[in-house]
PDB file of all heavy atoms in Angstrom:
ATOM      1  N   ASN A1216     -18.500   2.630 -18.240  1.00 86.00           N
ATOM      2  CA  ASN A1216     -19.417   1.938 -17.344  1.00 86.00           C
ATOM      3  C   ASN A1216     -18.861   0.545 -17.053  1.00 86.00           C
ATOM      4  O   ASN A1216     -18.326  -0.112 -17.952  1.00 86.00           O
ATOM      5  CB  ASN A1216     -20.808   1.814 -17.974  1.00 86.00           C
ATOM      6  CG  ASN A1216     -21.542   3.133 -17.997  1.00 86.00           C
ATOM      7  OD1 ASN A1216     -21.628   3.816 -16.985  1.00 86.00           O
ATOM      8  ND2 ASN A1216     -22.057   3.516 -19.154  1.00 86.00           N
ATOM      9  N   PRO A1217     -18.968   0.066 -15.819  1.00 89.00           N
ATOM     10  CA  PRO A1217     -18.408  -1.249 -15.476  1.00 89.00           C
ATOM     11  C   PRO A1217     -19.231  -2.386 -16.067  1.00 89.00           C
ATOM     12  O   PRO A1217     -20.458  -2.403 -15.965  1.00 89.00           O
ATOM     13  CB  PRO A1217     -18.468  -1.259 -13.951  1.00 89.00           C
ATOM     14  CG  PRO A1217     -19.599  -0.340 -13.614  1.00 89.00           C
ATOM     15  CD  PRO A1217     -19.579   0.732 -14.664  1.00 89.00           C
ATOM     16  N   LEU A1218     -18.546  -3.335 -16.674  1.00 93.00           N
ATOM     17  CA  LEU A1218     -19.192  -4.532 -17.214  1.00 93.00           C
ATOM     18  C   LEU A1218     -19.077  -5.699 -16.248  1.00 93.00           C
ATOM     19  O   LEU A1218     -19.996  -6.505 -16.114  1.00 93.00           O
ATOM     20  CB  LEU A1218     -18.544  -4.911 -18.550  1.00 93.00           C
ATOM     21  CG  LEU A1218     -18.645  -3.882 -19.679  1.00 93.00           C
ATOM     22  CD1 LEU A1218     -17.791  -4.324 -20.858  1.00 93.00           C
ATOM     23  CD2 LEU A1218     -20.090  -3.689 -20.100  1.00 93.00           C
ATOM     24  N   THR A1219     -17.933  -5.804 -15.587  1.00 96.00           N
ATOM     25  CA  THR A1219     -17.679  -6.882 -14.639  1.00 96.00           C
ATOM     26  C   THR A1219     -16.862  -6.347 -13.473  1.00 96.00           C
ATOM     27  O   THR A1219     -16.136  -5.355 -13.610  1.00 96.00           O
ATOM     28  CB  THR A1219     -16.894  -8.039 -15.283  1.00 96.00           C
ATOM     29  OG1 THR A1219     -15.602  -7.553 -15.675  1.00 96.00           O
ATOM     30  CG2 THR A1219     -17.626  -8.595 -16.502  1.00 96.00           C
ATOM     31  N   ALA A1220     -16.956  -7.020 -12.337  1.00 97.00           N
ATOM     32  CA  ALA A1220     -16.092  -6.733 -11.189  1.00 97.00           C
ATOM     33  C   ALA A1220     -16.094  -7.969 -10.300  1.00 97.00           C
ATOM     34  O   ALA A1220     -17.139  -8.359  -9.765  1.00 97.00           O
ATOM     35  CB  ALA A1220     -16.573  -5.508 -10.413  1.00 97.00           C
ATOM     36  N   ASP A1221     -14.949  -8.597 -10.165  1.00 98.00           N
ATOM     37  CA  ASP A1221     -14.806  -9.812  -9.364  1.00 98.00           C
ATOM     38  C   ASP A1221     -13.618  -9.693  -8.425  1.00 98.00           C
ATOM     39  O   ASP A1221     -12.640  -8.997  -8.720  1.00 98.00           O
ATOM     40  CB  ASP A1221     -14.606 -11.034 -10.262  1.00 98.00           C
ATOM     41  CG  ASP A1221     -15.856 -11.402 -11.043  1.00 98.00           C
ATOM     42  OD1 ASP A1221     -16.960 -11.266 -10.479  1.00 98.00           O
ATOM     43  OD2 ASP A1221     -15.725 -11.821 -12.212  1.00 98.00           O
ATOM     44  N   LEU A1222     -13.688 -10.404  -7.300  1.00 98.00           N
ATOM     45  CA  LEU A1222     -12.608 -10.392  -6.324  1.00 98.00           C
ATOM     46  C   LEU A1222     -11.551 -11.429  -6.684  1.00 98.00           C
ATOM     47  O   LEU A1222     -11.862 -12.533  -7.138  1.00 98.00           O
ATOM     48  CB  LEU A1222     -13.163 -10.680  -4.933  1.00 98.00           C
ATOM     49  CG  LEU A1222     -14.101  -9.613  -4.361  1.00 98.00           C
ATOM     50  CD1 LEU A1222     -14.614 -10.040  -2.988  1.00 98.00           C
ATOM     51  CD2 LEU A1222     -13.400  -8.265  -4.264  1.00 98.00           C
ATOM     52  N   VAL A1223     -10.295 -11.050  -6.482  1.00 98.00           N
ATOM     53  CA  VAL A1223      -9.141 -11.878  -6.804  1.00 98.00           C
ATOM     54  C   VAL A1223      -8.183 -11.848  -5.622  1.00 98.00           C
ATOM     55  O   VAL A1223      -8.123 -10.864  -4.883  1.00 98.00           O
ATOM     56  CB  VAL A1223      -8.425 -11.363  -8.073  1.00 98.00           C
ATOM     57  CG1 VAL A1223      -7.287 -12.300  -8.476  1.00 98.00           C
ATOM     58  CG2 VAL A1223      -9.407 -11.188  -9.222  1.00 98.00           C
ATOM     59  N   ILE A1224      -7.423 -12.923  -5.449  1.00 98.00           N
ATOM     60  CA  ILE A1224      -6.417 -12.991  -4.386  1.00 98.00           C
ATOM     61  C   ILE A1224      -5.037 -13.151  -5.004  1.00 98.00           C
ATOM     62  O   ILE A1224      -4.844 -13.919  -5.945  1.00 98.00           O
ATOM     63  CB  ILE A1224      -6.681 -14.173  -3.431  1.00 98.00           C
ATOM     64  CG1 ILE A1224      -8.098 -14.119  -2.870  1.00 98.00           C
ATOM     65  CG2 ILE A1224      -5.663 -14.175  -2.290  1.00 98.00           C
ATOM     66  CD1 ILE A1224      -8.451 -15.329  -2.037  1.00 98.00           C
ATOM     67  N   ALA A1225      -4.066 -12.426  -4.455  1.00 98.00           N
ATOM     68  CA  ALA A1225      -2.658 -12.608  -4.812  1.00 98.00           C
ATOM     69  C   ALA A1225      -1.869 -12.820  -3.524  1.00 98.00           C
ATOM     70  O   ALA A1225      -2.151 -12.188  -2.504  1.00 98.00           O
ATOM     71  CB  ALA A1225      -2.118 -11.401  -5.566  1.00 98.00           C
ATOM     72  N   ASN A1226      -0.889 -13.722  -3.567  1.00 97.00           N
ATOM     73  CA  ASN A1226      -0.026 -13.962  -2.419  1.00 97.00           C
ATOM     74  C   ASN A1226       1.396 -13.509  -2.714  1.00 97.00           C
ATOM     75  O   ASN A1226       1.834 -13.500  -3.869  1.00 97.00           O
ATOM     76  CB  ASN A1226      -0.019 -15.447  -2.045  1.00 97.00           C
ATOM     77  CG  ASN A1226      -1.234 -15.833  -1.226  1.00 97.00           C
ATOM     78  OD1 ASN A1226      -2.042 -14.983  -0.841  1.00 97.00           O
ATOM     79  ND2 ASN A1226      -1.380 -17.112  -0.956  1.00 97.00           N
ATOM     80  N   LYS A1227       2.113 -13.156  -1.661  1.00 96.00           N
ATOM     81  CA  LYS A1227       3.488 -12.685  -1.810  1.00 96.00           C
ATOM     82  C   LYS A1227       4.449 -13.865  -1.832  1.00 96.00           C
ATOM     83  O   LYS A1227       4.395 -14.768  -0.990  1.00 96.00           O
ATOM     84  CB  LYS A1227       3.842 -11.734  -0.673  1.00 96.00           C
ATOM     85  CG  LYS A1227       5.234 -11.109  -0.803  1.00 96.00           C
ATOM     86  CD  LYS A1227       5.541 -10.200   0.363  1.00 96.00           C
ATOM     87  CE  LYS A1227       4.760  -8.892   0.275  1.00 96.00           C
ATOM     88  NZ  LYS A1227       5.188  -7.945   1.339  1.00 96.00           N
ATOM     89  N   SER A1228       5.355 -13.837  -2.805  1.00 92.00           N
ATOM     90  CA  SER A1228       6.402 -14.846  -2.913  1.00 92.00           C
ATOM     91  C   SER A1228       7.702 -14.134  -3.248  1.00 92.00           C
ATOM     92  O   SER A1228       7.811 -13.477  -4.285  1.00 92.00           O
ATOM     93  CB  SER A1228       6.059 -15.870  -4.001  1.00 92.00           C
ATOM     94  OG  SER A1228       7.113 -16.803  -4.171  1.00 92.00           O
ATOM     95  N   ASN A1229       8.703 -14.244  -2.369  1.00 90.00           N
ATOM     96  CA  ASN A1229       9.983 -13.561  -2.565  1.00 90.00           C
ATOM     97  C   ASN A1229       9.783 -12.062  -2.802  1.00 90.00           C
ATOM     98  O   ASN A1229      10.348 -11.478  -3.737  1.00 90.00           O
ATOM     99  CB  ASN A1229      10.747 -14.187  -3.722  1.00 90.00           C
ATOM    100  CG  ASN A1229      11.114 -15.637  -3.476  1.00 90.00           C
ATOM    101  OD1 ASN A1229      11.461 -15.998  -2.349  1.00 90.00           O
ATOM    102  ND2 ASN A1229      11.037 -16.466  -4.500  1.00 90.00           N
ATOM    103  N   SER A1230       8.937 -11.450  -1.966  1.00 90.00           N
ATOM    104  CA  SER A1230       8.667 -10.002  -1.979  1.00 90.00           C
ATOM    105  C   SER A1230       7.871  -9.538  -3.192  1.00 90.00           C
ATOM    106  O   SER A1230       7.730  -8.338  -3.419  1.00 90.00           O
ATOM    107  CB  SER A1230       9.978  -9.202  -1.906  1.00 90.00           C
ATOM    108  OG  SER A1230      10.687  -9.518  -0.722  1.00 90.00           O
ATOM    109  N   VAL A1231       7.352 -10.471  -3.986  1.00 95.00           N
ATOM    110  CA  VAL A1231       6.564 -10.120  -5.167  1.00 95.00           C
ATOM    111  C   VAL A1231       5.193 -10.782  -5.063  1.00 95.00           C
ATOM    112  O   VAL A1231       5.091 -11.964  -4.718  1.00 95.00           O
ATOM    113  CB  VAL A1231       7.270 -10.578  -6.462  1.00 95.00           C
ATOM    114  CG1 VAL A1231       6.400 -10.278  -7.676  1.00 95.00           C
ATOM    115  CG2 VAL A1231       8.624  -9.910  -6.594  1.00 95.00           C
ATOM    116  N   PHE A1232       4.134 -10.016  -5.367  1.00 97.00           N
ATOM    117  CA  PHE A1232       2.789 -10.574  -5.341  1.00 97.00           C
ATOM    118  C   PHE A1232       2.485 -11.275  -6.664  1.00 97.00           C
ATOM    119  O   PHE A1232       2.790 -10.759  -7.741  1.00 97.00           O
ATOM    120  CB  PHE A1232       1.743  -9.486  -5.090  1.00 97.00           C
ATOM    121  CG  PHE A1232       1.684  -9.052  -3.653  1.00 97.00           C
ATOM    122  CD1 PHE A1232       2.293  -7.874  -3.237  1.00 97.00           C
ATOM    123  CD2 PHE A1232       1.031  -9.831  -2.708  1.00 97.00           C
ATOM    124  CE1 PHE A1232       2.241  -7.473  -1.920  1.00 97.00           C
ATOM    125  CE2 PHE A1232       0.970  -9.442  -1.378  1.00 97.00           C
ATOM    126  CZ  PHE A1232       1.580  -8.262  -0.981  1.00 97.00           C
ATOM    127  N   GLN A1233       1.871 -12.439  -6.550  1.00 96.00           N
ATOM    128  CA  GLN A1233       1.450 -13.205  -7.712  1.00 96.00           C
ATOM    129  C   GLN A1233       0.022 -13.688  -7.501  1.00 96.00           C
ATOM    130  O   GLN A1233      -0.342 -14.119  -6.394  1.00 96.00           O
ATOM    131  CB  GLN A1233       2.371 -14.411  -7.936  1.00 96.00           C
ATOM    132  CG  GLN A1233       3.815 -14.046  -8.221  1.00 96.00           C
ATOM    133  CD  GLN A1233       4.702 -15.266  -8.383  1.00 96.00           C
ATOM    134  OE1 GLN A1233       4.328 -16.369  -7.988  1.00 96.00           O
ATOM    135  NE2 GLN A1233       5.882 -15.077  -8.953  1.00 96.00           N
ATOM    136  N   ARG A1234      -0.772 -13.616  -8.565  1.00 96.00           N
ATOM    137  CA  ARG A1234      -2.141 -14.105  -8.476  1.00 96.00           C
ATOM    138  C   ARG A1234      -2.157 -15.596  -8.129  1.00 96.00           C
ATOM    139  O   ARG A1234      -1.376 -16.374  -8.680  1.00 96.00           O
ATOM    140  CB  ARG A1234      -2.862 -13.913  -9.816  1.00 96.00           C
ATOM    141  CG  ARG A1234      -3.195 -12.476 -10.165  1.00 96.00           C
ATOM    142  CD  ARG A1234      -3.650 -12.384 -11.608  1.00 96.00           C
ATOM    143  NE  ARG A1234      -4.098 -11.033 -11.947  1.00 96.00           N
ATOM    144  CZ  ARG A1234      -5.369 -10.685 -12.108  1.00 96.00           C
ATOM    145  NH1 ARG A1234      -6.323 -11.600 -12.010  1.00 96.00           N
ATOM    146  NH2 ARG A1234      -5.698  -9.447 -12.394  1.00 96.00           N
ATOM    147  N   LEU A1235      -3.054 -15.973  -7.234  1.00 96.00           N
ATOM    148  CA  LEU A1235      -3.215 -17.391  -6.925  1.00 96.00           C
ATOM    149  C   LEU A1235      -3.782 -18.113  -8.139  1.00 96.00           C
ATOM    150  O   LEU A1235      -4.752 -17.662  -8.756  1.00 96.00           O
ATOM    151  CB  LEU A1235      -4.158 -17.579  -5.739  1.00 96.00           C
ATOM    152  CG  LEU A1235      -3.648 -17.211  -4.351  1.00 96.00           C
ATOM    153  CD1 LEU A1235      -4.712 -17.541  -3.311  1.00 96.00           C
ATOM    154  CD2 LEU A1235      -2.366 -17.943  -4.025  1.00 96.00           C
ATOM    155  N   SER A1236      -3.207 -19.251  -8.464  1.00 96.00           N
ATOM    156  CA  SER A1236      -3.695 -20.014  -9.611  1.00 96.00           C
ATOM    157  C   SER A1236      -5.110 -20.536  -9.383  1.00 96.00           C
ATOM    158  O   SER A1236      -5.852 -20.753 -10.338  1.00 96.00           O
ATOM    159  CB  SER A1236      -2.753 -21.184  -9.899  1.00 96.00           C
ATOM    160  OG  SER A1236      -2.662 -22.041  -8.762  1.00 96.00           O
ATOM    161  N   ASN A1237      -5.497 -20.703  -8.107  1.00 97.00           N
ATOM    162  CA  ASN A1237      -6.841 -21.198  -7.779  1.00 97.00           C
ATOM    163  C   ASN A1237      -7.723 -20.111  -7.191  1.00 97.00           C
ATOM    164  O   ASN A1237      -8.679 -20.395  -6.454  1.00 97.00           O
ATOM    165  CB  ASN A1237      -6.762 -22.385  -6.820  1.00 97.00           C
ATOM    166  CG  ASN A1237      -6.153 -22.013  -5.474  1.00 97.00           C
ATOM    167  OD1 ASN A1237      -5.431 -21.020  -5.366  1.00 97.00           O
ATOM    168  ND2 ASN A1237      -6.439 -22.804  -4.452  1.00 97.00           N
ATOM    169  N   SER A1238      -7.420 -18.841  -7.501  1.00 97.00           N
ATOM    170  CA  SER A1238      -8.217 -17.735  -6.969  1.00 97.00           C
ATOM    171  C   SER A1238      -9.676 -17.860  -7.374  1.00 97.00           C
ATOM    172  O   SER A1238     -10.581 -17.619  -6.557  1.00 97.00           O
ATOM    173  CB  SER A1238      -7.653 -16.401  -7.451  1.00 97.00           C
ATOM    174  OG  SER A1238      -8.409 -15.317  -6.951  1.00 97.00           O
ATOM    175  N   ASN A1239      -9.947 -18.224  -8.618  1.00 97.00           N
ATOM    176  CA  ASN A1239     -11.334 -18.367  -9.073  1.00 97.00           C
ATOM    177  C   ASN A1239     -12.070 -19.432  -8.276  1.00 97.00           C
ATOM    178  O   ASN A1239     -13.258 -19.282  -7.956  1.00 97.00           O
ATOM    179  CB  ASN A1239     -11.372 -18.712 -10.557  1.00 97.00           C
ATOM    180  CG  ASN A1239     -10.980 -17.547 -11.436  1.00 97.00           C
ATOM    181  OD1 ASN A1239     -11.023 -16.400 -11.010  1.00 97.00           O
ATOM    182  ND2 ASN A1239     -10.582 -17.833 -12.668  1.00 97.00           N
ATOM    183  N   GLU A1240     -11.385 -20.516  -7.936  1.00 98.00           N
ATOM    184  CA  GLU A1240     -11.998 -21.588  -7.148  1.00 98.00           C
ATOM    185  C   GLU A1240     -12.308 -21.104  -5.733  1.00 98.00           C
ATOM    186  O   GLU A1240     -13.388 -21.364  -5.190  1.00 98.00           O
ATOM    187  CB  GLU A1240     -11.064 -22.793  -7.096  1.00 98.00           C
ATOM    188  CG  GLU A1240     -11.504 -23.920  -6.176  1.00 98.00           C
ATOM    189  CD  GLU A1240     -12.767 -24.639  -6.644  1.00 98.00           C
ATOM    190  OE1 GLU A1240     -13.154 -24.464  -7.815  1.00 98.00           O
ATOM    191  OE2 GLU A1240     -13.355 -25.376  -5.835  1.00 98.00           O
ATOM    192  N   ILE A1241     -11.383 -20.365  -5.127  1.00 98.00           N
ATOM    193  CA  ILE A1241     -11.592 -19.865  -3.774  1.00 98.00           C
ATOM    194  C   ILE A1241     -12.753 -18.885  -3.722  1.00 98.00           C
ATOM    195  O   ILE A1241     -13.501 -18.828  -2.747  1.00 98.00           O
ATOM    196  CB  ILE A1241     -10.299 -19.215  -3.248  1.00 98.00           C
ATOM    197  CG1 ILE A1241      -9.232 -20.277  -3.030  1.00 98.00           C
ATOM    198  CG2 ILE A1241     -10.561 -18.450  -1.951  1.00 98.00           C
ATOM    199  CD1 ILE A1241      -7.897 -19.736  -2.590  1.00 98.00           C
ATOM    200  N   MET A1242     -12.949 -18.122  -4.803  1.00 98.00           N
ATOM    201  CA  MET A1242     -13.993 -17.098  -4.847  1.00 98.00           C
ATOM    202  C   MET A1242     -15.252 -17.541  -5.599  1.00 98.00           C
ATOM    203  O   MET A1242     -16.111 -16.712  -5.890  1.00 98.00           O
ATOM    204  CB  MET A1242     -13.438 -15.829  -5.511  1.00 98.00           C
ATOM    205  CG  MET A1242     -12.358 -15.144  -4.720  1.00 98.00           C
ATOM    206  SD  MET A1242     -13.003 -14.476  -3.162  1.00 98.00           S
ATOM    207  CE  MET A1242     -11.559 -13.580  -2.561  1.00 98.00           C
ATOM    208  N   LYS A1243     -15.391 -18.829  -5.882  1.00 98.00           N
ATOM    209  CA  LYS A1243     -16.486 -19.298  -6.728  1.00 98.00           C
ATOM    210  C   LYS A1243     -17.863 -19.044  -6.132  1.00 98.00           C
ATOM    211  O   LYS A1243     -18.847 -18.913  -6.874  1.00 98.00           O
ATOM    212  CB  LYS A1243     -16.317 -20.778  -7.047  1.00 98.00           C
ATOM    213  CG  LYS A1243     -16.477 -21.715  -5.848  1.00 98.00           C
ATOM    214  CD  LYS A1243     -16.280 -23.166  -6.249  1.00 98.00           C
ATOM    215  CE  LYS A1243     -16.474 -24.118  -5.075  1.00 98.00           C
ATOM    216  NZ  LYS A1243     -16.276 -25.536  -5.477  1.00 98.00           N
ATOM    217  N   ASN A1244     -17.987 -18.988  -4.809  1.00 97.00           N
ATOM    218  CA  ASN A1244     -19.277 -18.733  -4.171  1.00 97.00           C
ATOM    219  C   ASN A1244     -19.529 -17.249  -3.921  1.00 97.00           C
ATOM    220  O   ASN A1244     -20.586 -16.884  -3.384  1.00 97.00           O
ATOM    221  CB  ASN A1244     -19.363 -19.486  -2.845  1.00 97.00           C
ATOM    222  CG  ASN A1244     -19.361 -20.987  -3.035  1.00 97.00           C
ATOM    223  OD1 ASN A1244     -20.036 -21.504  -3.928  1.00 97.00           O
ATOM    224  ND2 ASN A1244     -18.600 -21.690  -2.223  1.00 97.00           N
ATOM    225  N   ILE A1245     -18.571 -16.414  -4.287  1.00 97.00           N
ATOM    226  CA  ILE A1245     -18.686 -14.971  -4.080  1.00 97.00           C
ATOM    227  C   ILE A1245     -18.880 -14.233  -5.397  1.00 97.00           C
ATOM    228  O   ILE A1245     -19.801 -13.438  -5.559  1.00 97.00           O
ATOM    229  CB  ILE A1245     -17.447 -14.439  -3.339  1.00 97.00           C
ATOM    230  CG1 ILE A1245     -17.428 -14.979  -1.900  1.00 97.00           C
ATOM    231  CG2 ILE A1245     -17.422 -12.917  -3.331  1.00 97.00           C
ATOM    232  CD1 ILE A1245     -16.228 -14.572  -1.098  1.00 97.00           C
ATOM    233  N   ASN A1246     -17.999 -14.485  -6.360  1.00 98.00           N
ATOM    234  CA  ASN A1246     -18.094 -13.809  -7.650  1.00 98.00           C
ATOM    235  C   ASN A1246     -19.312 -14.285  -8.437  1.00 98.00           C
ATOM    236  O   ASN A1246     -19.660 -15.459  -8.411  1.00 98.00           O
ATOM    237  CB  ASN A1246     -16.827 -14.042  -8.465  1.00 98.00           C
ATOM    238  CG  ASN A1246     -15.625 -13.355  -7.854  1.00 98.00           C
ATOM    239  OD1 ASN A1246     -15.745 -12.297  -7.246  1.00 98.00           O
ATOM    240  ND2 ASN A1246     -14.449 -13.936  -8.015  1.00 98.00           N
ATOM    241  N   SER A1247     -19.961 -13.343  -9.129  1.00 96.00           N
ATOM    242  CA  SER A1247     -21.182 -13.657  -9.866  1.00 96.00           C
ATOM    243  C   SER A1247     -21.297 -12.707 -11.047  1.00 96.00           C
ATOM    244  O   SER A1247     -20.366 -11.964 -11.363  1.00 96.00           O
ATOM    245  CB  SER A1247     -22.402 -13.506  -8.944  1.00 96.00           C
ATOM    246  OG  SER A1247     -22.624 -12.128  -8.637  1.00 96.00           O
ATOM    247  N   SER A1248     -22.448 -12.716 -11.698  1.00 95.00           N
ATOM    248  CA  SER A1248     -22.691 -11.794 -12.804  1.00 95.00           C
ATOM    249  C   SER A1248     -22.887 -10.360 -12.308  1.00 95.00           C
ATOM    250  O   SER A1248     -22.856  -9.418 -13.098  1.00 95.00           O
ATOM    251  CB  SER A1248     -23.915 -12.237 -13.603  1.00 95.00           C
ATOM    252  OG  SER A1248     -25.065 -12.282 -12.776  1.00 95.00           O
ATOM    253  N   ALA A1249     -23.083 -10.188 -11.002  1.00 95.00           N
ATOM    254  CA  ALA A1249     -23.146  -8.848 -10.410  1.00 95.00           C
ATOM    255  C   ALA A1249     -21.724  -8.334 -10.206  1.00 95.00           C
ATOM    256  O   ALA A1249     -20.740  -9.005 -10.535  1.00 95.00           O
ATOM    257  CB  ALA A1249     -23.891  -8.897  -9.090  1.00 95.00           C
ATOM    258  N   LEU A1250     -21.585  -7.127  -9.658  1.00 96.00           N
ATOM    259  CA  LEU A1250     -20.277  -6.560  -9.341  1.00 96.00           C
ATOM    260  C   LEU A1250     -19.929  -6.879  -7.895  1.00 96.00           C
ATOM    261  O   LEU A1250     -20.705  -6.583  -6.984  1.00 96.00           O
ATOM    262  CB  LEU A1250     -20.275  -5.047  -9.554  1.00 96.00           C
ATOM    263  CG  LEU A1250     -20.756  -4.542 -10.913  1.00 96.00           C
ATOM    264  CD1 LEU A1250     -20.706  -3.014 -10.948  1.00 96.00           C
ATOM    265  CD2 LEU A1250     -19.924  -5.122 -12.042  1.00 96.00           C
ATOM    266  N   GLU A1251     -18.782  -7.504  -7.673  1.00 97.00           N
ATOM    267  CA  GLU A1251     -18.284  -7.767  -6.321  1.00 97.00           C
ATOM    268  C   GLU A1251     -16.986  -6.998  -6.108  1.00 97.00           C
ATOM    269  O   GLU A1251     -16.077  -7.058  -6.942  1.00 97.00           O
ATOM    270  CB  GLU A1251     -18.032  -9.258  -6.091  1.00 97.00           C
ATOM    271  CG  GLU A1251     -19.295 -10.071  -5.863  1.00 97.00           C
ATOM    272  CD  GLU A1251     -19.980 -10.474  -7.145  1.00 97.00           C
ATOM    273  OE1 GLU A1251     -19.293 -10.555  -8.186  1.00 97.00           O
ATOM    274  OE2 GLU A1251     -21.197 -10.722  -7.106  1.00 97.00           O
ATOM    275  N   TYR A1252     -16.887  -6.309  -4.979  1.00 95.00           N
ATOM    276  CA  TYR A1252     -15.713  -5.471  -4.720  1.00 95.00           C
ATOM    277  C   TYR A1252     -15.687  -5.077  -3.252  1.00 95.00           C
ATOM    278  O   TYR A1252     -16.454  -5.593  -2.446  1.00 95.00           O
ATOM    279  CB  TYR A1252     -15.714  -4.234  -5.633  1.00 95.00           C
ATOM    280  CG  TYR A1252     -16.990  -3.426  -5.585  1.00 95.00           C
ATOM    281  CD1 TYR A1252     -17.079  -2.289  -4.808  1.00 95.00           C
ATOM    282  CD2 TYR A1252     -18.109  -3.813  -6.315  1.00 95.00           C
ATOM    283  CE1 TYR A1252     -18.245  -1.550  -4.753  1.00 95.00           C
ATOM    284  CE2 TYR A1252     -19.278  -3.082  -6.268  1.00 95.00           C
ATOM    285  CZ  TYR A1252     -19.349  -1.956  -5.485  1.00 95.00           C
ATOM    286  OH  TYR A1252     -20.515  -1.232  -5.426  1.00 95.00           O
ATOM    287  N   ALA A1253     -14.772  -4.158  -2.872  1.00 95.00           N
ATOM    288  CA  ALA A1253     -14.667  -3.630  -1.503  1.00 95.00           C
ATOM    289  C   ALA A1253     -14.479  -4.742  -0.475  1.00 95.00           C
ATOM    290  O   ALA A1253     -15.217  -4.859   0.498  1.00 95.00           O
ATOM    291  CB  ALA A1253     -15.881  -2.777  -1.150  1.00 95.00           C
ATOM    292  N   ALA A1254     -13.461  -5.567  -0.683  1.00 97.00           N
ATOM    293  CA  ALA A1254     -13.187  -6.672   0.243  1.00 97.00           C
ATOM    294  C   ALA A1254     -12.652  -6.168   1.571  1.00 97.00           C
ATOM    295  O   ALA A1254     -11.901  -5.195   1.632  1.00 97.00           O
ATOM    296  CB  ALA A1254     -12.183  -7.634  -0.388  1.00 97.00           C
ATOM    297  N   CYS A1255     -13.055  -6.852   2.646  1.00 96.00           N
ATOM    298  CA  CYS A1255     -12.527  -6.596   3.985  1.00 96.00           C
ATOM    299  C   CYS A1255     -12.307  -7.950   4.645  1.00 96.00           C
ATOM    300  O   CYS A1255     -13.262  -8.687   4.890  1.00 96.00           O
ATOM    301  CB  CYS A1255     -13.505  -5.742   4.784  1.00 96.00           C
ATOM    302  SG  CYS A1255     -12.924  -5.350   6.450  1.00 96.00           S
TER     303      CYS A1255
END
Side-chain angles (χ1 to χ4, degrees):
N1216 287 310
L1218 298 172
T1219 64
D1221 290 323
L1222 294 178
V1223 185
I1224 306 174
N1226 279 354
K1227 184 181 286 187
S1228 176
N1229 297 322
S1230 300
V1231 177
F1232 283 101
Q1233 298 178 343
R1234 289 169 175 254
L1235 287 183
S1236 59
N1237 63 338
S1238 180
N1239 288 340
E1240 173 67 15
I1241 292 177
M1242 294 294 186
K1243 67 181 182 180
N1244 294 317
I1245 292 177
N1246 292 328
S1247 70
S1248 59
L1250 307 179
E1251 284 83 25
Y1252 53 99
C1255 181

